[in-house]
């Protein structure tokens, strides 16, 4: 698909940074709501919370980019589109347009959903550790794990492709408004 990609480790590092920032904002909020000594009274919990969020977001961003790059490189949708769109096999230009429109979106959607599930599962276990529990928790329940696919799939697809869609929509509206005067 001809796009340049940054290494997965860069995305994981950015996710870890986002997790640390989320944790810092959360601690500032807790200190504001409870009292300013709250962080000093709970230092181990604060450190574990920061690690929990850093690993969770690092896994979310890193796995998203890793899965997306694997999908882009392996390009599994090409044979499927050949079978689903048999009428467009003859018209290479129409097939190429359909492919260019749908494959990047679908790869972002699937990658985001799978990354959301990885994040959900990892956060389940690190959240247990964050609470100073020594035993290993049971696996996360299936329903929340499955629903995390849809929410994160939509979020990542909107993040990757939303600006293009909004830009196209605004261009269309602008064209309509110019024509109506």
């Amino acid at each position: 698909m001809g796009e340049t990609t940054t290494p997965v480790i860069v995305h994981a590092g950015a996710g870890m940074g986002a997790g640390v920032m989320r944790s810092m904002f959360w601690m500032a909020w807790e200190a504001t709501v409870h009292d300013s000594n709250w962080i000093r009274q709970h230092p181990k919990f604060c450190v574990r919370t920061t690690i929990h969020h850093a690993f969770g977001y690092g896994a979310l961003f890193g796995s998203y980019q890793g899965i997306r790059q694997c999908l882009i490189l392996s390009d599994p949708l090409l044979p499927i589109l050949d079978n689903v769109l048999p009428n467009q096999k003859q018209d290479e230009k129409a097939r190429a347009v359909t492919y260019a429109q749908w494959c990047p979106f679908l790869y972002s959607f699937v990658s985001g959903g799978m990354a959301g599930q990885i994040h959900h599962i990892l956060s389940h276990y690190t959240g247990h550790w964050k609470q100073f529990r020594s035993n290993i928790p049971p696996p996360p329940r299936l329903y929340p794990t499955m629903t995390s696919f849809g929410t994160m799939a939509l979020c990542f697809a909107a993040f990757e492709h939303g600006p293009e869609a909004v830009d196209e929509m605004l261009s269309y509206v602008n064209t309509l408004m110019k024509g109506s005067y």
Side-chain angles (χ1 to χ4, degrees):
M1 289 197 289
E3 58 184 69
T4 59
T5 56
T6 53
V8 172
I9 192 75
V10 172
H11 287 268
M16 291 182 89
V20 168
M21 291 306 297
R22 184 212 186 276
S23 184
M24 294 298 155
F25 284 122
W26 175 80
M27 284 187 270
W29 174 258
E30 287 296 319
T32 303
V33 170
H34 296 295
D35 64 64
S36 59
N37 292 322
W38 189 88
I39 294 172
R40 277 185 247 142
Q41 294 169 354
H42 303 91
K44 287 183 181 178
F45 182 75
C46 291
V47 168
R48 285 182 176 226
T49 298
T50 301
I51 293 169
H52 162 76
H53 290 301
F55 282 156
Y57 285 95
L60 178 67
F61 290 20
S63 63
Y64 166 74
Q65 187 64 12
I67 294 167
R68 187 168 164 269
Q69 285 181 12
C70 287
L71 288 173
I72 288 169
L73 291 173
S74 65
D75 212 5
L77 285 182
L78 188 57
I80 295 170
L81 283 177
D82 283 342
N83 291 330
V84 171
L85 305 168
N87 299 344
Q88 293 184 5
K89 266 188 174 177
Q90 308 306 321
D91 186 0
E92 282 297 316
K93 185 177 179 182
R95 186 176 156 277
V97 167
T98 302
Y99 178 79
Q101 288 174 338
W102 284 103
C103 286
F105 175 80
L106 290 173
Y107 292 159
S108 296
F109 187 85
V110 170
S111 301
M114 292 173 74
Q117 290 178 317
I118 290 168
H119 175 258
H120 176 78
I121 292 167
L122 180 67
S123 293
H124 171 78
Y125 290 107
T126 60
H128 195 78
W129 169 80
K130 177 181 80 170
Q131 300 292 330
F132 297 98
R133 297 180 185 146
S134 58
N135 59 335
I136 297 173
R141 292 189 359 238
L142 184 61
Y143 180 75
T145 303
M146 297 308 289
T147 57
S148 67
F149 181 93
T151 55
M152 292 312 295
L154 289 173
C155 287
F156 275 101
F159 171 75
E160 288 284 346
H161 304 283
E164 294 169 10
V166 170
D167 186 44
E168 287 180 26
M169 181 183 68
L170 291 175
S171 295
Y172 179 70
V173 169
N174 191 23
T175 304
L176 289 177
M177 293 183 76
K178 284 182 181 178
S180 66
Y181 289 110

